[in-house]
Amino acid sequence: MKTLSKTLIARAALATAALAAGAVHAGEVEVLHWWTSGGEAKAASALKSTLQGQGHTWKDFAVAGGGGDNAMTVLKSRVVSGNAPAAAQIKGPALQEWAAEGVLANIDGVAKAEKWDSVLPPVVANVMKYKGNYIAVPVNVHRVNWLWTSNAAFKKAGAKVPTNWDEFFVAAEKLKKAGIIPVAHGGQNWQDFTTFESVALGVGGADFYKKALVQLDQASLNGATMTKVLDTFKKVKSYTDKNAPGRDWNLATAMVIKGEAGMQLMGDWAKGEFMAAGKKPGADFGCSAAPGTAKSFTFNVDSFAMFKLKNEANIKAQNDLAAAIMSPAFQETFNLNKGSIPVRLGMDLSKFDDCAKLSAKDFVDTAKSGSLVPSVAHGMAIPSAAAGAIQDAVSQFWNDDKMSTKDAQAKIASAAKTK
Ligand code: BGC
C-alpha cells in the first residue's frame, strides 16, 4: 500500500513537471504585418500555421495598408506605450533605427544554430544585424521593377509588350484606342514612388539611380537626366484613369486581372494576386521587367524584427518563429504564395514559375554586374526621414498638374537634404 502511494505520488510529480515543461514550451507570438490582400493573406497564413505547428499561439496584428505606412504608425504608438509585439514587419535601414532605440532582441543564438551567415547573401545578412548581432530575420526577396500585363487586353488592342519607355507609350496609345485603361494605378504615395523609381531606373540606368536616389547626390538630382525622368513619369499619369487617386494597389492589380486595364507597374506581390485569382503567368498575364530595366533589379526584402520580451515561453516561441521563417520548407510555401523568391541561398526552385525563375536569375546576375539596387519606395535605400520627404515631393508633382518639372525637381532635391 505504502509503495503504491509512493509510486502514485512519483507519477503525479512527473506529470506536473511535464505540464510545466509544456507550459514553458508553448508560448504566444504577436506578429505585426500588413499582409491583408488575397495573395498576401495566403502567405501570412503559411507563417501562422508554421508557428501553430510548433504548438505556439499566433496572435495576429494585421494593419491594412499597402506598403506598410499605417502599420508603422501603429507600431510606433505600441512601442512608445511599452507594449511592443514579439515580431514586426520592419525592413531595410529602419531596422537600424529601431535597434538604436534599444528595443530589439539579439537573436544570434538561433542565427548561429541555423547557420544564417552561410545561407544568406551577405548584402541581406548585414541589414539584419545591428552592431554585428542579428535583430531580424528575412523572409523573401521581392523585385519591384516589374511590368504586369493582361494578355487579353494586349490582344484586343493589338499591342506589343514594351521593353523601353518609347514602346510603353506606343502600347498605352493602342490600349487607349481599344477602350482599355492603359495603366492601372493607385494614387498613394508609395505607389506613386514605386512607379517613379522604375521610371528613374529605366530612363537613367542603374548608375544614375544609385547616385540620385541612394547617394542623394545633388548634381544628379538637379541634372538633365532627372528632368527626363520626371517628364516621363508625368506622362505615365496621362494613361491612368480618373478613379486612380487613393485606390489600393490590389484593386489596381484586379483591373489587369480582369482585362479592364492593360498594365501595372508594381512589385511582384502583384503576382500573388494573379495566382490567388487562379491566373497563370504566360497564359493569362505577362511579367516583364519595367521598360528599360531588364538588366537591373530593384530589391525589396521583407523581414521581421524581433522585439525584446520578458516571458520565457514567449521568447522560445519567438526564436522558433525566427528559425521556421528561414527553413527551406517555409521559404518555399511562403514565397510560392507571396510572388517573391526565397531569400535563402541554394533553394530548389522547381515548383516556382517563370517569373520567379527570371527574378532569381536576374538577382544573381545583377549582383555581379553592379545593377542590383535597393528600392526607395519600399524602405530599402535611405533613412526614413529623407525617403518620406522625397516621396511627398514626388506625389505632389504627380497630383498637381500645374506644378512644373523644374519646380518639382527643385523640391525633390531639397527634400533629399532632410535629416
Ligand atoms: C512589402 C510587400 C507587400 C507590399 C504591398 C511592400 O512594401 O514589402 O510584402 O506585399 O508592400 O503591401
Side-chain angles (χ1 to χ4, degrees):
M1 195 62 192
K2 210 176 169 191
T3 343
L4 185 64
S5 66
K6 258 195 179 164
T7 317
L8 276 177
I9 290 166
R11 275 199 195 143
L14 265 179
T16 317
L19 263 179
V24 167
H25 177 74
E28 178 187 271
V29 179
E30 184 177 24
V31 185
L32 171 89
H33 62 93
W34 64 88
W35 291 332
T36 55
S37 77
E40 289 177 333
K42 275 183 125 181
S45 81
L47 188 56
K48 177 180 171 181
S49 42
T50 301
L51 187 85
Q52 287 173 334
Q54 295 169 328
H56 299 301
T57 307
W58 168 276
K59 192 168 172 200
D60 201 41
F61 186 2
V63 181
D69 294 342
N70 299 346
M72 288 305 102
T73 308
V74 175
L75 177 65
K76 275 177 202 143
S77 68
R78 280 281 302 264
V79 178
V80 166
S81 63
N83 186 21
Q89 196 183 342
I90 301 178
K91 316 185 285 184
L95 285 168
Q96 308 300 313
E97 295 170 15
W98 280 101
E101 297 292 323
V103 288
L104 299 187
N106 177 342
I107 52 169
D108 266 352
V110 52
K112 287 219 170 75
E114 302 291 326
K115 304 194 171 56
W116 289 1
D117 274 345
S118 55
V119 293
L120 282 177
V123 54
V124 175
N126 291 340
V127 178
M128 304 299 137
K129 292 178 188 173
Y130 178 68
K131 296 193 172 155
N133 305 121
Y134 277 95
I135 40 92
V137 53
V139 192
N140 60 0
V141 179
H142 270 304
R143 185 182 199 174
V144 182
N145 58 317
W146 283 113
L147 177 73
W148 305 94
T149 47
S150 154
N151 289 6
F154 268 68
K155 198 165 167 222
K156 187 172 170 208
K160 183 179 146 283
V161 174
T163 59
N164 58 44
W165 288 100
D166 288 341
E167 289 177 11
F168 178 88
F169 294 116
V170 171
E173 269 305 313
K174 287 198 168 164
L175 288 159
K176 194 173 166 186
K177 288 217 172 80
I180 296 162
I181 297 163
V183 181
H185 183 72
Q188 297 172 348
N189 273 20
W190 72 273
Q191 292 188 66
D192 298 344
F193 210 90
T194 298
T195 297
F196 176 76
E197 66 183 28
S198 280
V199 174
L201 188 62
V203 170
D207 287 341
F208 166 78
Y209 182 102
K210 283 192 262 186
K211 278 202 117 173
L213 299 181
V214 182
Q215 293 153 24
L216 303 179
D217 168 59
Q218 284 293 319
S220 307
L221 287 166
N222 287 303
T225 306
M226 187 59 151
T227 311
K228 200 169 165 208
V229 167
L230 285 167
D231 285 339
T232 310
F233 171 63
K234 200 60 187 269
K235 196 169 168 194
V236 174
K237 187 189 171 190
S238 60
Y239 292 98
T240 62
D241 67 324
K242 65 171 186 355
N243 296 325
R247 176 188 284 137
D248 286 331
W249 69 272
N250 52 319
L251 300 182
T253 308
M255 292 162 68
V256 183
I257 292 176
K258 290 186 213 136
E260 291 167 11
M263 313 185 262
Q264 184 185 18
L265 288 152
M266 186 51 64
D268 42 21
W269 45 94
K271 194 184 77 188
E273 297 303 298
F274 284 99
M275 307 305 267
K279 301 295 177 193
K280 302 254 169 320
D284 304 313
F285 68 95
C287 58
S288 44
T293 71
K295 296 223 156 15
S296 307
F297 191 118
T298 322
F299 68 88
N300 169 24
V301 173
D302 282 313
S303 50
F304 282 96
M306 300 298 172
F307 281 83
K308 280 183 182 159
L309 300 174
K310 292 202 179 81
N311 178 300
E312 281 302 317
N314 293 349
I315 293 172
K316 168 87 172 72
Q318 184 186 50
N319 281 322
D320 285 354
L321 178 73
I325 286 175
M326 279 290 294
S327 71
F330 173 79
Q331 288 275 316
E332 182 179 89
T333 315
F334 178 87
N335 286 299
L336 283 171
N337 285 307
K338 191 67 176 63
S340 38
I341 54 170
V343 68
R344 189 183 171 109
L345 297 170
M347 289 271 305
D348 171 12
L349 294 183
S350 52
K351 288 200 189 140
F352 285 78
D353 58 37
D354 289 346
C355 307
K357 283 180 184 142
L358 177 66
S359 181
K361 181 184 177 298
D362 288 349
F363 184 61
V364 174
D365 290 354
T366 56
K368 282 187 197 135
S369 69
S371 52
L372 175 65
V373 298
S375 165
V376 179
H378 298 279
M380 291 290 115
I382 49 179
S384 46
I390 297 173
Q391 290 192 31
D392 283 349
V394 163
S395 283
Q396 265 181 37
F397 175 56
W398 177 268
N399 291 324
D400 181 354
D401 288 340
K402 293 201 186 82
M403 189 187 281
S404 69
T405 306
K406 198 167 163 256
D407 286 352
Q409 194 163 353
K411 266 198 172 210
I412 293 166
S414 117
K417 294 181 188 153
T418 311
K419 289 272 182 283

